[in-house]
Amino acid sequence: MLGAIIGDMVGSVYEFDNIKTTDFPLFVRDSNYTDDSVMSFAVADWLLHTNRSESALIEKLVSWAKNYPCPMGGYGGSFRKWLFHPQMLPPYTGERHPYKSFGNGSAMRCSACGWVAKTMAETLYLAKRSAEVTHNHPEGIKGAQATAAAIFMARQGETKEAIRSYIVNTFGYDLTRSCDEIRPSYSFNETCQGTVPEALISFFESTDFESAIRLGVSLGGDSDTLCCITGGIAEAYYKEIPEHIITEVNRRVPAELLCLIQEVKDYNKER
């Protein structure tokens, strides 16, 4: 899960100022966690500390957003309404309800599902549950499931080839392109189908954790979310994150969030 937070932080300053190169400083003065990290923590809190019901997930998403109402980047338009003004969501019942989103928010917040699940079946189930309270469009659910599945398989020591084959055969994403082919024309895209494949390809082409993040940023697009997805998978696969990167995260992330990251690690080790 730490990898997802790092990807979010590194990509944060490039979300609206894309940089089409892998040669850039990983952290600058303004690098910080965004709504991607806050919602990733909310899902982790739901998985670790509740009965994992739909109502518990809604409570965690809302409470974390209220505790961190103005993270860098802010919350997306429809999701902000869902969080803070549900009466503004059609059909205007006043209740929070899914709104058929296929935005990449479902994929960026689900990394903990891939870390705590014991089986692939459980991984897919938890990812679906984590998505569908808001993102109940098939593409929104698929994006979360593909991300969590890649993390689960990477955790289990599966090869990149095995992970790629499973994702293609199960979810139908086109993973044949290269980063060099994607980069020139790729632009800001907030959908799962326009973010998750690119994040996966960045991971597949990488040689270590840092190179995965650099490749993700270099594509452009919705950089913080794309790299949040890439980083979560890369951490699970490479197992190690350079100490200088962890030091930067520790400087920028509140203590309660660092504790939750450690809880996810400990939960995984205990099983």
Side-chain angles (χ1 to χ4, degrees):
M1 182 172 167
L2 177 60
I5 309 310
I6 293 168
D8 176 37
M9 294 179 70
V10 173
S12 64
V13 295
Y14 300 109
E15 179 181 8
F16 301 112
D17 187 19
N18 289 168
I19 180 169
K20 298 282 189 170
T21 177
T22 57
D23 184 15
F24 60 88
L26 278 181
F27 293 92
V28 296
R29 183 189 62 186
D30 294 333
S31 301
N32 210 337
Y33 64 91
T34 78
D35 58 304
D36 297 26
S37 291
V38 176
M39 290 297 100
S40 295
F41 286 121
V43 171
D45 192 8
W46 168 65
L47 291 170
L48 295 179
H49 301 135
T50 77
N51 61 3
R52 300 183 181 178
S53 66
E54 178 180 303
S55 60
L57 175 58
I58 292 172
E59 189 277 328
K60 289 300 182 184
L61 294 174
V62 173
S63 64
W64 275 82
K66 287 180 176 178
N67 289 335
Y68 296 89
C70 299
M72 185 175 183
Y75 298 99
S78 294
F79 186 55
R80 173 171 285 279
K81 291 178 183 177
W82 185 90
L83 287 169
F84 302 116
H85 307 288
Q87 72 278 7
M88 297 175 64
L89 277 176
Y92 311 112
T93 63
E95 301 294 327
R96 289 187 180 87
H97 56 79
Y99 47 94
K100 300 189 186 303
S101 176
F102 48 81
N104 54 26
S106 60
M108 61 78 169
R109 73 188 185 212
C110 74
S111 59
C113 298
W115 282 102
V116 307
K118 300 180 180 69
T119 65
M120 178 59 80
E122 185 182 19
T123 300
L124 299 178
Y125 172 76
L126 292 177
K128 181 176 185 288
R129 293 291 303 280
S130 76
E132 64 188 358
V133 292
T134 52
H135 294 58
N136 59 334
H137 188 283
E139 291 290 346
I141 293 170
K142 184 169 81 171
Q145 289 184 317
T147 301
I151 291 172
F152 178 79
M153 293 183 72
R155 259 183 58 213
Q156 301 301 311
E158 297 284 358
T159 65
K160 288 184 178 180
E161 292 72 21
I163 298 171
R164 186 196 302 269
S165 177
Y166 179 84
I167 297 298
V168 170
N169 291 333
T170 305
F171 303 106
Y173 285 138
D174 176 11
L175 302 179
T176 61
R177 299 164 297 159
S178 69
C179 286
D180 285 343
E181 290 171 329
I182 295 168
R183 191 177 294 113
S185 60
Y186 188 61
S187 59
F188 194 84
N189 192 318
E190 292 184 296
T191 69
C192 274
Q193 55 269 43
T195 305
V196 175
E198 288 75 12
L200 285 160
I201 290 167
S202 297
F203 158 67
F204 289 131
E205 284 197 20
S206 66
T207 55
D208 56 23
F209 178 82
E210 182 173 334
S211 71
I213 301 299
R214 289 187 177 279
L215 282 167
V217 169
S218 78
L219 296 184
D222 191 359
S223 297
D224 59 334
T225 299
L226 193 157
C227 292
C228 183
I229 297 167
T230 301
I233 302 167
E235 178 196 9
Y237 183 82
Y238 292 114
K239 315 300 183 190
E240 295 183 359
I241 297 173
E243 194 60 39
H244 70 275
I245 296 179
I246 296 175
T247 298
E248 287 289 345
V249 174
N250 291 342
R251 289 179 52 237
R252 300 163 192 263
V253 173
E256 71 166 325
L257 307 190
L258 295 175
C259 288
L260 190 52
I261 291 173
Q262 188 60 48
E263 278 195 75
V264 173
K265 286 184 179 179
D266 292 343
Y267 183 90
N268 184 255
K269 289 177 182 177
E270 289 169 1
R271 294 180 300 110

